[in-house]
Each structure stands twice: as C-alpha cells, then as structure tokens.
Amino acid sequence: DIQMTQSPSSVSASVGDRVTITCRASQGISNYLAWIQQKPGKAPKSLIYAASSLQSGVPSKFSGSGSGTDFTLTISSLQPEDFATYYCQQYNSYPLTFGGGTKVEVK
Amino acid sequence: EVQLVESGGGLVQPGGSLRLSCAASGFTFSDHFMDWVRQAPGKGLEWVGRARDKGNSYTTEYAASVKGRFTISRDDSKNSLYLQMNSLQTEDTAVYYCARIRRGIFSFEYWGQGTLVTVSS
C-alpha cells in the first residue's frame, strides 16, 4: 500500500496568512494526488485533483503543486471559512489511501 | 445540482449486518464510478471500496479491512449505490460517505453528507 504522510499535523495561522501543507507519498504516484477539505461535523469537500487542478467552484486562493512523491497545498490568504482539516489522497493505485490530515487552526 | 444522500446507518451488535444506501440525483448516475469512504470517530478518512460502471462490467474493489465482509453494489435504474456490511466489528464504527468519482480522472468529485454506523453491544 502507498503511505501518504502529511506535515505538519496541525498549523496555527491568522486570517490573511499564507499556509502551506506538504504531502509525501511512499512511492511515486505521478500526479494522481487530490486535496480534500473537511470542516468539523461536515462532509469532506474535494478541492484539487491531478495535483494542481481546481475542482469547479473552488476559489483560486487554493493551489496545489508537485509530482512523483512530493506535493504541496497552499492557501494564499487564509480566511475564516478556511479553518478546517485538509487531507491529501492518492489514487494512483488500490487501495486508495489518505494522509493523516492537517488541521488548520486559528492562532 | 449533484446530490448524494446516504441512509441506513444505525446501531448494530458485533457480528451483525447492515445495508447502507446512497441515493444520487442531479447527474447521470450510470456514467460514474462510485465509492464508499468511512471515518471513525475522531479519526481520518479511510477508503472502503469502489463500484465501477456498466462499461467496466460493474466490477468492484475493496480495502483489505473489509474484503470478504462488505459488498458494494449499484442499481442504475434507481440511481442508487449500496454497501452491504456483514460480520460487523466494533472497529467498523464510523460515518460512511458515498462519493462520486470524476470521469476519466478517477479522483473523488462529490461527497454525500454521511450516515453513522455504530457497532456495539
């Protein structure tokens, strides 16, 4: 199975900050990488697929990059609605696997 | 508007069975692979399995943790996805989400609101 490792596991940030989350795959996954946002008590929401493509309706303050084993999610200017947990997920091979999550908290 | 609505969750004893449903609307259900993903209380997301479309012979994939106990099926005439769960264990306690898979890309695209399954005596 491909292991997905996210860092940091949590980050404290203020409104307006730029936040970067990293995700590392245990083996190469090309660009078969997605980022998913989840707010407390809510269903997950897909943000990015193919490492850098924005899901329809997702604001451009979210961006993704990377290929192979190393990936990043950047939120350019954090807003109150962005405080949530973010997961990376690989769909290169079965079983599909998720990172452990990064909780973005209010500083 | 794409809608995915799960139902069928509840309390079940260890060793018991439960069948979850996911009702889809707002899109051509038969065109999409569909997945189940679960989340144990306070934990991260765990993929459960996939149901492919008619063009892929309705084949399925499963996580090792549920293979042989869970069965995913779909009824395109009812725009519905199902998860039959047998031999339930306490570690199967989770919110279960259905998700639509993006055509040709195979990433998650849309998610339902989830249904809670509690396995406890």
Side-chain angles (χ1 to χ4, degrees), chain A residues 50-91:
Chain A
S52 60
S53 297
L54 280 184
Q55 171 92 350
S56 175
V58 172
S60 58
K61 61 182 171 181
F62 292 97
S63 63
S65 65
S67 184
T69 60
D70 294 309
F71 302 86
T72 61
L73 172 71
T74 299
I75 310 171
S76 61
S77 178
L78 204 63
Q79 297 302 304
E81 63 270 20
D82 302 328
F83 291 97
T85 298
Y86 294 84
Y87 296 92
C88 62
Q89 179 253 329
Q90 67 81 19
Y91 53 98

Side-chain angles (χ1 to χ4, degrees), chain B residues 35 45 63-64 67 74-77 82 87 120-121:
Chain B
D35 282 22
L45 300 169
K67 195 169 185 178
R74 59 190 295 162
D75 185 338
D76 290 351
S77 69
Y82 304 102
S87 302
S120 174
S121 55

Side-chain angles (χ1 to χ4, degrees), chain B residues 36-111:
Chain B
W36 288 99
V37 175
R38 68 183 181 182
Q39 186 170 37
K43 302 297 184 181
L45 300 169
E46 179 189 17
W47 177 73
V48 172
R50 169 164 292 176
R52 296 185 180 89
D53 60 6
K54 182 178 181 180
N56 288 275
S57 303
Y58 296 123
T59 53
T60 53
E61 301 284 347
Y62 297 95
S65 58
V66 307
K67 195 169 185 178
R69 299 188 300 123
F70 290 11
T71 301
I72 298 174
S73 61
R74 59 190 295 162
D75 185 338
D76 290 351
S77 69
K78 295 182 179 179
N79 293 334
S80 292
L81 177 73
Y82 304 102
L83 179 64
Q84 177 66 44
M85 303 184 293
N86 298 331
S87 302
L88 282 162
Q89 305 164 359
T90 54
E91 52 265 37
D92 295 318
T93 294
V95 175
Y96 285 74
Y97 298 100
C98 67
R100 186 180 102 171
I101 299 303
R102 180 181 295 275
R103 289 185 72 187
I105 302 292
F106 306 111
S107 61
F108 296 114
E109 192 174 15
Y110 293 100
W111 301 72

Side-chain angles (χ1 to χ4, degrees), chain A residues 25-64:
Chain A
S26 61
Q27 63 189 75
I29 58 170
S30 185
N31 69 335
Y32 298 114
L33 189 283
W35 290 98
I36 294 158
Q37 177 194 63
Q38 188 177 33
K39 297 179 181 179
K42 300 295 185 182
K45 175 185 176 182
S46 293
L47 297 179
I48 288 172
Y49 63 95
S52 60
S53 297
L54 280 184
Q55 171 92 350
S56 175
V58 172
S60 58
K61 61 182 171 181
F62 292 97
S63 63

Side-chain angles (χ1 to χ4, degrees), chain B residues 12-40:
Chain B
V12 60
Q13 292 188 336
S17 298
L18 208 58
R19 189 196 196 204
L20 305 184
S21 299
C22 170
S25 60
F27 65 100
T28 304
F29 179 76
S30 59
D31 283 349
H32 290 268
F33 293 8
M34 297 292 296
D35 282 22
W36 288 99
V37 175
R38 68 183 181 182
Q39 186 170 37

